[in-house]
Amino acid sequence: MARKQTAQNYALPACLVRGQLDQLRQSLRELIDAEAKIEIDAGNVIEIDAAGLQLLLSGAVYARENGKVFSYNLVSDPVREAAKANRLDEDLGL
């Protein structure tokens, strides 16, 4: 019987804005390298700018390029609205 692989949950901070993403970028990359399935919890994000969207997009692309599953279990309204306004909702898998 095949074992079901559980996703590793990754909770994002409340603010995903330029100047606050360097450590987050590194830890997200390390998680993607280490895990086969990553579930992003963006439910607490209250502020996101273009740099934050770019971080999410680059994480999603990097994961997919490396055969990993990158999905969301919670997404806040600010994240959905910013992604939609920038026409990135489909690219981000929202």
Side-chain angles (χ1 to χ4, degrees):
M1 178 186 275
R3 236 174 101 189
K4 184 179 178 185
Q5 192 170 18
T6 60
Q8 179 66 38
N9 192 23
Y10 189 79
L12 297 174
C15 294
L16 290 178
V17 296
R18 181 179 301 275
Q20 298 181 9
L21 302 175
D22 290 337
Q23 179 63 36
L24 184 62
R25 182 177 292 113
Q26 182 64 30
S27 61
L28 184 58
R29 177 67 61 109
E30 290 171 1
L31 180 66
I32 293 168
D33 286 340
E35 301 293 334
K37 290 180 160 183
I38 300 92
E39 259 187 10
I40 302 298
D41 177 349
N44 292 322
V45 177
I46 58 174
E47 185 179 4
I48 186 166
D49 64 5
L53 287 172
Q54 176 59 36
L55 172 75
L56 294 178
L57 183 60
S58 67
V61 169
Y62 180 72
R64 290 177 193 134
E65 286 176 346
N66 288 282
K68 310 295 180 90
V69 176
F70 188 94
S71 62
Y72 299 87
N73 62 358
L74 294 171
V75 180
S76 69
D77 288 340
V79 172
R80 281 192 195 285
E81 291 165 7
K84 189 172 183 175
N86 288 282
R87 296 183 177 165
L88 292 173
D89 47 335
E90 287 185 24
D91 294 330
L92 288 169
L94 299 177

